[in-house]
């Protein structure tokens, strides 16, 4: 069993009621004893319950509200390294439609919208409840709980901003009729980036958690990585230098280092290693998730989603634990790696020559980073297929180094200075020789090879202006449409539009 306890507490002390339409697509937290909220949330212990409950929606996207939305799959299907797969083109039709840039209000990431707004609602609740308990909280704890809630709220909004762009925005929970102003994407960014700057300036978040029981809580390093990610995606040149200075704080802290072996990051023993800045925790031994209860705490379904069907047994995975065949790796992606790049075997599970039931778009190449192993669901008390303990690696120190290298070059840094040092740390860890200098092309290529399957590539193509050049029809006839600027923000679900007629659909 993992040492981390945060996941155990996701719903402790609260009961939840979930509906999916926009006006009430939030979690209503109610005290099981029945006293009014303003009486219940008056103690430190009860505020802690609300804080931990605000983390819980992080665990939901891979399967929640009748839809699979594993965060890496959602992003990778929009890019150029994977196919969608599944049993056929109608299996997870919304993914196939989005892959071909023909999504619509009925084929989009509808549950991701609901999940993230649920998280926002819970974060707003924490901030409100702190006021109820103010007299019973130390100043230190009051600030600590508030900063966690504010940082998490940016996380949930950041997800919505990346995918949907033009979204309802509010910092205080709504009352009937539950409608908030829909901001343009640039205005959402402006709100969030200022919020992050205030958090980083005044939040006193620790750069890294010192206790394993707190692994999974937000840190200053987590907030910095979000800041850099958002500034770079927005191409906000006015903040490049600030983002670089923040990244230098992570590097200069010496609290994070690259794991010596890239492949070891993805083993259970590699979870929360010194390279890990943030992970979303999953634990199979306390899994409540089963068919009919997808939002329950416990394990992740991701390894089942992205593995072969009718597996004959072997390679650490027994016969009878069949995968669903989503996200097969393209042959062209495998060819990107040189033979001596150690990341290839750690990134791509090559089972060419193994006989199993091939599903749609199968290449016999699969994502090794989150592949299934018997050991990763051995202690699951419910459905093993739905509950692996693979933590989702959200930010790694390798990304800190490559972000810093890129921003250094974009702000006039020398090609033989810090950017080269940071790039070479990542590059040589993969068993490759050093660069004599660092160029933007080198850094972006390194990002591609380093983060395949981690949901980074598509956003890099969009922000660097390469998407329209790269995301075009393929020779296999799978993707027949090209990406255009109008595809940057995916459609808002029809259910949300029906609930709030004031919502304006993205011009997809």
């Amino acid at each position: 069993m993992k040492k981390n306890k945060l996941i155990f507490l996701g719903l402790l002390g609260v009961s939840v009621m979930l509906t999916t339409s926009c006006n009430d697509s939030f979690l209503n937290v109610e005290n099981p004893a029945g006293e009014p909220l303003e009486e219940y949330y008056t103690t430190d212990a009860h505020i802690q319950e609300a804080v931990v409950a605000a983390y819980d929606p992080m665990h939901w996207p891979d399967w929640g509200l009748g839809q699979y939305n594993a965060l890496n799959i959602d992003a990778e299907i929009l890019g150029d390294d994977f196919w969608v797969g599944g049993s056929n083109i109608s299996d997870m039709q919304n993914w196939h439609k989005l892959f071909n840039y023909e999504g619509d209000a009925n084929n989009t990431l509808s549950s991701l919208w609901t999940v993230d707004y649920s998280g926002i609602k819970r974060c707003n609740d924490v901030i409100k409840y702190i006021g109820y308990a103010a007299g019973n909280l130390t100043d230190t704890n009051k600030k600590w709980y508030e900063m966690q809630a504010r940082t998490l709220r940016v996380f949930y909004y950041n997800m919505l901003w990346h995918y949907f762009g033009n979204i309802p925005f509010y910092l205080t929970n709504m009352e009937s009729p539950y409608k908030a102003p829909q901001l343009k994407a640039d205005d959402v960014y402006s709100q969030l980036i200022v919020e992050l700057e205030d958090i980083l300036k005044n939040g006193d978040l620790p750069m890294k958690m010192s206790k394993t029981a707190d692994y999974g809580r937000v840190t200053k390093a987590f907030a910095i990585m979000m800041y850099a990610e958002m500034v770079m995606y927005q191409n906000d040149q006015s903040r490049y230098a600030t983002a670089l200075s923040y990244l230098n704080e992570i590097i200069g802290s010496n609290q994070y280092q690259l794991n010596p072996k890239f492949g070891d990051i993805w083993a259970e023993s590699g979870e929360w290693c010194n390279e890990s800045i943030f992970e979303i925790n999953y634990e199979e031994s306390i899994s409540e998730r089963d068919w009919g209860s997808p939002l329950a705490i416990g394990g992740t379904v991701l390894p089942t989603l992205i593995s072969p069907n009718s597996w004959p047994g072997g390679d650490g995975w027994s016969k009878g634990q069949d995968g669903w065949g989503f996200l097969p790796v393209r042959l062209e992606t495998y060819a990107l790696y040189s033979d001596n790049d150690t990341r290839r075997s750690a990134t791509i599970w090559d089972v060419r020559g193994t006989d199993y039931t091939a599903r749609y778009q199968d290449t016999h190449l699969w994502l090794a980073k989150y592949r299934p192993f018997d050991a990763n669901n051995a202690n699951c008390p419910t459905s093993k297929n739905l509950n692996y303990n693979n933590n989702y690696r959200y930010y790694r120190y390798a990304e800190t180094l490559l972000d810093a290298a890129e921003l250094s070059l974009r702000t006039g840094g020398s090609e033989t200075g810090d950017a080269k040092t940071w790039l070479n740390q990542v590059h040589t860890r993969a068993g490759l020789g050093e660069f004599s200098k660092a160029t933007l092309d080198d850094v972006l290529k390194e990002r591609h090879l380093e983060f395949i399957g981690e949901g980074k590539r598509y956003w890099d193509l969009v922000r660097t202006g390469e998407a329209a050049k790269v995301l075009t029809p393929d020779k296999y006839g799978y993707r027949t449409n090209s990406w255009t600027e109008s595809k940057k923000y995916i459609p808002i679900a029809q259910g949300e539009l029906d609930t709030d007629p004031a919502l304006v659909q993205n011009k997809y």
Side-chain angles (χ1 to χ4, degrees):
M1 181 182 294
K2 300 180 184 180
K3 295 179 181 179
N4 181 273
K5 297 296 189 292
L6 183 60
I7 190 173
F8 289 37
L9 304 173
L11 298 178
L12 183 64
V14 299
S15 62
V16 299
M17 181 169 56
L18 184 65
T19 53
T20 58
S21 60
C22 183
N23 66 335
D24 56 358
S25 61
F26 313 109
L27 288 173
N28 299 317
V29 182
E30 298 176 346
N31 168 41
E35 60 262 42
L37 294 177
E38 60 269 22
E39 295 180 12
Y40 183 77
Y41 289 105
T42 57
T43 67
D44 190 287
H46 291 166
I47 296 299
Q48 287 189 56
E49 292 176 2
V51 171
V52 177
Y55 283 89
D56 205 50
M58 281 186 165
H59 304 95
W60 297 350
D62 66 329
W63 181 32
L65 309 174
Q67 193 177 83
Y68 300 107
N69 271 318
L71 298 179
N72 61 331
I73 300 181
D74 282 348
E76 294 292 356
I77 60 169
L78 299 171
D80 62 337
D81 288 326
F82 298 85
W83 307 118
V84 178
S87 60
N88 54 56
I89 200 170
S90 298
D91 192 2
M92 286 296 292
Q93 188 176 56
N94 63 321
W95 275 348
H96 286 281
K97 291 281 191 179
L98 291 169
F99 162 84
N100 202 32
Y101 311 122
E102 56 182 359
D104 54 45
N106 296 309
N107 290 282
T108 188
L109 305 179
S110 56
S111 77
L112 193 64
W113 174 287
T114 304
V115 163
D116 286 320
Y117 275 115
S118 299
I120 290 162
K121 191 271 180 186
R122 288 183 170 204
C123 293
N124 289 340
D125 280 340
V126 171
I127 296 168
K128 180 179 180 179
Y129 297 160
I130 287 171
Y132 297 162
N136 297 321
L137 301 177
T138 65
D139 289 343
T140 298
N141 282 1
K142 178 182 177 181
K143 192 169 188 179
W144 170 224
Y145 301 147
E146 179 187 341
M147 289 304 119
Q148 288 183 78
R150 290 175 62 189
T151 306
L152 281 171
R153 184 170 60 187
V154 175
F155 167 84
Y156 293 122
Y157 268 127
N158 184 32
M159 192 75 64
L160 292 163
W161 174 68
H162 267 77
Y163 281 103
F164 298 98
N166 312 298
I167 57 174
F169 188 89
Y170 52 93
L171 299 178
T172 302
N173 285 335
M174 299 174 288
E175 298 180 356
S176 181
Y178 305 106
K179 293 177 174 63
Q182 182 181 16
L183 301 188
K184 295 292 187 182
D186 287 350
D187 294 328
V188 174
Y189 169 79
S190 296
Q191 293 269 1
L192 295 178
I193 209 68
V194 169
E195 173 80 342
L196 266 182
E197 286 171 345
D198 188 70
I199 291 167
L200 288 168
K201 182 180 179 180
N202 302 306
D204 293 329
L205 292 171
M207 186 63 75
K208 184 177 184 179
M209 288 298 166
S210 58
K211 299 178 181 178
T212 57
D214 285 328
Y215 287 175
R217 294 185 188 270
V218 297
T219 61
K220 186 174 185 179
F222 171 81
I224 288 172
M225 293 303 295
M226 274 204 301
Y227 185 87
E229 173 185 274
M230 295 181 70
V231 166
M232 294 167 74
Y233 192 63
Q234 183 72 3
N235 290 312
D236 184 354
Q237 296 181 27
S238 69
R239 286 184 166 91
Y240 282 177
T242 302
L244 178 58
S245 69
Y246 283 142
L247 292 167
N248 266 306
E249 286 189 42
I250 298 178
I251 296 168
S253 75
N254 294 317
Q255 295 187 57
Y256 297 94
Q257 293 86 35
L258 293 178
N259 196 308
K261 293 184 178 180
F262 182 84
D264 289 350
I265 298 168
W266 312 102
E268 184 176 356
S269 59
E271 293 178 353
W272 293 108
C273 64
N274 283 338
E275 182 164 345
S276 181
I277 289 178
F278 193 76
E279 300 181 12
I280 298 175
N281 294 314
Y282 290 97
E283 169 56 46
E284 95 282 17
S285 67
I286 48 88
S287 294
E288 297 175 359
R289 172 179 282 182
D290 207 343
W291 295 107
S293 56
L295 286 184
I297 60 174
T300 175
V301 71
L302 177 59
T304 294
L305 282 166
I306 61 170
S307 51
N309 187 252
S310 302
W311 184 246
D315 206 7
W317 194 37
S318 297
K319 181 178 181 179
Q321 295 197 58
D322 292 342
W324 298 342
F326 288 103
L327 211 69
V329 180
R330 298 191 192 194
L331 297 170
E332 293 83 354
T333 305
Y334 183 88
L336 292 173
Y337 292 97
S338 62
D339 289 342
N340 56 340
D341 192 327
T342 61
R343 291 174 295 198
R344 184 169 68 182
S345 61
T347 299
I348 301 174
W349 184 25
D350 185 352
V351 295
R352 287 175 288 188
T354 302
D355 186 25
Y356 59 82
T357 302
R359 307 197 102 188
Y360 183 58
Q361 299 174 318
D362 193 299
T363 61
H364 274 58
L365 300 174
W366 301 96
L367 181 61
K369 291 176 178 178
Y370 295 105
R371 59 148 296 194
F373 287 98
D374 291 343
N376 288 350
N377 65 2
N379 298 314
C380 173
T382 55
S383 172
K384 291 184 180 295
N385 262 19
L386 305 179
N387 291 285
Y388 283 86
N389 68 10
N390 304 62
N391 280 5
Y392 185 82
R393 279 66 161 180
Y394 201 88
Y395 289 128
R396 297 193 281 115
Y397 183 62
E399 189 171 3
T400 307
L401 294 171
L402 294 178
D403 282 357
E406 181 176 343
L407 288 170
S408 175
L409 294 172
R410 291 193 185 278
T411 53
S414 170
E415 292 182 340
T416 58
D418 286 338
K420 185 187 85 166
T421 300
W422 295 328
L423 172 62
N424 276 327
Q425 286 181 43
V426 178
H427 193 66
T428 58
R429 192 261 299 269
L432 305 171
E434 291 192 354
F435 289 100
S436 59
K437 64 179 182 178
T439 67
L440 279 174
D441 285 344
D442 292 331
V443 174
L444 291 170
K445 180 180 178 181
E446 201 68 27
R447 283 183 62 89
H448 190 182
L449 296 172
E450 181 76 13
F451 300 122
I452 282 175
E454 297 179 57
K456 311 288 183 181
R457 167 70 171 171
Y458 171 71
W459 311 115
D460 284 347
L461 290 173
V462 173
R463 70 181 177 83
T464 58
E466 293 295 307
K469 304 173 189 176
V470 173
L471 304 177
T472 57
D474 57 70
K475 65 182 180 180
Y476 306 98
Y478 294 142
R479 175 174 285 159
T480 58
N481 295 320
S482 295
W483 187 93
T484 62
E485 282 294 328
S486 67
K487 308 300 181 183
K488 183 175 181 180
Y489 301 124
I490 66 173
I492 298 170
Q494 189 61 49
E496 309 301 339
L497 299 171
D498 292 342
T499 301
D500 184 358
L503 280 179
V504 177
Q505 179 63 285
N506 290 325
K507 295 180 180 179
Y508 189 78

